Every structure is written in C-alpha cells, then in structure tokens.
Amino acid sequence: MTIEKFVRYIQYEKRFSPHTIQAYQQDLEQFAAYLRREYELEELAAVQAIHVRSWTVSMMEDEYHTNSVRRKLSTLKAFFNYLQKFHALKRNPMQKVVVPKTGKRLPSTLVAAEFNHLLDRLTFSDDYPGQRDRMILEMLYGTGIRRAELIGLRLQDIDWSSSLLRVFGKRNKERMIPLSAHLIGLLQHYLQVREREFDGGVPDRLFLTNQGKVLYPKLVYNTVKRYLSMITSSEKRGPHVLRHSFATHLSENGADLNAIKELLGHSNLAATQIYTHNSIEQLKKIYQQAHPKGED
C-alpha cells in the first residue's frame, strides 16, 4: 500500500497524463512527510480524518491558495479510494473531511483586438525561432489546445486535405479541430522554415527547440508570457489565457456551447459553461455603458 504502487496504477491502469501523475505523487509525498514530521506516522493506510484535517489547516496557515488545497485533498481522496478498492482499507478517512469552499473565478482572457494588435505590431524574425514563436501563439489562440497538446503535436497530425488538426488530449482522447485558412498559410510557411533549419534527424514533433529537440513546457510558457506581457498587465499571461480567450471569443460570437466543449476536449458540459459567464459579464458591461438606465 505504497505511493509507488498507486502511481503505477494511475499511470498504467488509469492512463493519467505525466503532469497529473507528477502532481499526485508530489501531493502524496508532501502529505507523507507531514505525517512523519507531526505524528511520526509512517503508514498511510493508518491515516485518520484528524490527520487530514490537521494537514488542511497547516496548508491554510501557510497561505496556500484554496484551489491548491482542494486539489491536494482530491489527490488524497483518489488515493484512499484506491486503497479501499484494491487493498481492503476498512475506513476511508476522506469521508469525514470537509473540503474548503472556493468562489468560482472567471478565467483570464484577452480582448480579441489586443491579440490581433500584438501580432500586427510585432515583427517576427524569419528564422526558425521567430517563426516557431509566432506559430505557438497562433496555434494556442487559433485552436484552443492545451500546452501539453501543443507539445505533443506531430507532423502527421495535420490533415491538409481537410484542414483539420488531430489532437490527443487528456487520457489520450482524440479530437479533430478545424484549421482556418489563415492558420494553414502560416503553417505552410513555418514548415518551410523548419525544413530549412533541420535537414532530417530530428523528432517528428511539429514544434522543436532551437537545437531540434522536443519542446518542453517551460519554453512554451516563457514564450507566451514574454509576448503577452507586451499587451496586458494581468498576472495571468500563460498559455491557458490563450485557450480561455479562444473559448470566450467563440461564446461571445454565438458559438454553440456543445461545439465549444468538443473543440476544447472537455469531458462534460459543466466545465465549458464557465465561458458563458464571461459572455454574460461582457453583456452586463455593454448594457451599463450603452443603456440610459445602465448606471442606475
């Protein structure tokens, strides 16, 4: 009943993403370290609800964000459910643990004109790094894919005849995303530059580092943050802002919620409905500015 066995279970049986597996393992190791330090408790199967509550209070006192605490408790819930199912754990301590509530926060987005202004104003160099950086921005905003999905794209995932992009999302779920004529043109030019830069002997991934290696998450994050810093002072300037903007702008322009759900690769509609809230906030703002009684 070790953390290692659970990690192997979610990796090979549940087929969680590497990022999720790493987060689960870190959460459990952090909890195990807390138990050893505070209670001299070595066996996770002996954990009681009081131990989990104590850890929760400790994290709140250390000013962990509520969302982080909730995620860590979700990890514990999955772990103890696993022990109950496969290792005959008699009492699940999570059944007596109340997860702290958090207010629903709307995702950060860009105004469409801001992003277009950024791309119009900047001159991207015609060498490989310049064209790759532009394509990273264009693809994240133009398709709404996640950072990990962008990194995983391969050359053969582009269906040129149908203008479609094959994306493998969470738990290796496949979906097809339409590519605009604008994106198709940019991709064709980018691939010419890529072929000129790397004459064979490189991975078949669509995007590569300057050295011809597979992209890594930090490079994508830093690239997006660097360019978004030029147009927004928001603290949120990572790749997910472009994904949120993609979905919000579709919603604001009348796209069907189910269609947005499919494009984003969400497993249920509830996760997509947050973008209708953004649209409602925009409608409120327009009403207050335009209606004679809007400011009353």
Side-chain angles (χ1 to χ4, degrees), residues 148-213:
E149 294 169 346
L150 177 97
I151 292 172
L153 289 176
R154 300 181 183 275
L155 296 174
Q156 59 266 32
D157 290 332
I158 303 173
D159 184 340
W160 298 100
S161 62
S162 301
S163 297
L164 293 173
L165 180 70
R166 179 185 295 105
V167 178
F168 292 92
K170 292 185 176 181
R171 305 189 185 179
N172 215 32
K173 182 180 178 182
E174 179 182 337
R175 69 186 189 277
M176 303 298 291
I177 300 177
L179 293 172
S180 66
H182 171 72
L183 273 180
I184 288 290
L186 290 175
L187 279 167
Q188 290 172 338
H189 176 69
Y190 162 74
L191 289 175
Q192 291 174 357
V193 176
R194 181 186 184 279
E195 185 176 356
R196 188 171 66 231
E197 180 75 12
F198 305 110
D199 186 19
V202 295
D204 65 348
R205 299 293 179 91
L206 181 60
F207 297 108
L208 303 170
T209 67
N210 295 352
Q211 294 74 37
K213 306 295 183 182

Side-chain angles (χ1 to χ4, degrees), residues 232-292:
T232 179
S233 59
S234 170
E235 293 181 3
K236 301 287 187 179
R237 285 169 286 181
H240 232 61
V241 171
L242 295 179
R243 176 172 164 85
H244 291 321
S245 300
F246 166 83
T248 300
H249 297 161
L250 285 175
S251 177
E252 289 175 350
N253 285 285
D256 178 74
L257 197 59
N258 279 296
I260 298 174
K261 167 183 171 292
E262 295 302 318
L263 290 170
L264 293 176
H266 285 162
S267 58
N268 61 75
L269 198 60
T272 316
Q273 286 175 330
I274 184 75
Y275 299 106
T276 64
H277 293 292
N278 274 35
S279 300
I280 291 169
E281 291 302 313
Q282 179 68 11
L283 288 174
K284 287 181 179 178
K285 183 177 179 180
I286 293 171
Y287 169 77
Q288 291 170 352
Q289 291 175 346
H291 196 278

Side-chain angles (χ1 to χ4, degrees), residues 23-238:
Y24 272 44
Q25 184 170 7
Q26 290 176 345
D27 291 342
L28 291 172
E29 289 175 350
Q30 181 186 355
F31 181 54
Y34 176 81
L35 294 175
R36 287 193 296 270
R37 183 175 66 251
E38 299 295 331
Y39 295 99
E40 297 183 356
L41 184 62
E42 295 288 342
E43 182 55 64
L44 287 174
V47 167
Q48 299 178 26
I50 185 65
H51 299 131
V52 181
R53 294 193 199 104
S54 175
W55 187 46
T56 303
V57 171
S58 174
M59 288 189 289
M60 299 300 282
E61 289 177 344
D62 289 339
E63 298 185 350
Y64 276 71
H65 194 281
T66 305
N67 287 344
S68 296
V69 176
R70 289 171 61 87
R71 195 206 75 230
K72 292 176 184 294
L73 293 179
S74 178
T75 297
L76 292 189
K77 181 179 179 180
F79 176 71
F80 286 113
N81 284 342
Y82 161 80
L83 293 185
Q84 271 194 313
K85 184 175 181 179
F86 296 104
H87 297 280
L89 181 70
K90 293 182 179 179
R91 290 181 296 178
N92 188 334
M94 298 304 295
Q95 293 176 348
K96 295 184 178 181
V97 174
V98 177
V99 178
K101 294 182 178 180
T102 180
K104 181 178 289 187
R105 297 187 301 169
L106 297 179
S108 299
T109 63
L110 298 172
V111 176
E114 290 179 336
F115 186 73
N116 291 329
H117 178 62
L118 168 68
L119 295 176
D120 292 340
R121 187 179 62 185
L122 289 176
T123 301
F124 293 89
S125 60
D126 203 39
D127 58 6
Y128 179 72
Q131 292 305 298
R132 180 205 58 214
D133 289 356
R134 172 160 194 165
M135 281 311 310
I136 286 175
L137 294 169
E138 293 272 12
M139 287 291 284
L140 289 172
Y141 176 68
T143 65
I145 58 177
R146 303 175 178 92
R147 175 174 57 176
E149 294 169 346
L150 177 97
I151 292 172
L153 289 176
R154 300 181 183 275
L155 296 174
Q156 59 266 32
D157 290 332
I158 303 173
D159 184 340
W160 298 100
S161 62
S162 301
S163 297
L164 293 173
L165 180 70
R166 179 185 295 105
V167 178
F168 292 92
K170 292 185 176 181
R171 305 189 185 179
N172 215 32
K173 182 180 178 182
E174 179 182 337
R175 69 186 189 277
M176 303 298 291
I177 300 177
L179 293 172
S180 66
H182 171 72
L183 273 180
I184 288 290
L186 290 175
L187 279 167
Q188 290 172 338
H189 176 69
Y190 162 74
L191 289 175
Q192 291 174 357
V193 176
R194 181 186 184 279
E195 185 176 356
R196 188 171 66 231
E197 180 75 12
F198 305 110
D199 186 19
V202 295
D204 65 348
R205 299 293 179 91
L206 181 60
F207 297 108
L208 303 170
T209 67
N210 295 352
Q211 294 74 37
K213 306 295 183 182
V214 175
L215 283 188
Y216 50 93
K218 192 65 174 176
L219 187 152
V220 177
Y221 178 85
N222 287 340
T223 298
V224 175
K225 182 178 180 181
R226 182 170 72 254
Y227 288 107
L228 293 191
S229 296
M230 300 177 185
I231 59 171
T232 179
S233 59
S234 170
E235 293 181 3
K236 301 287 187 179
R237 285 169 286 181

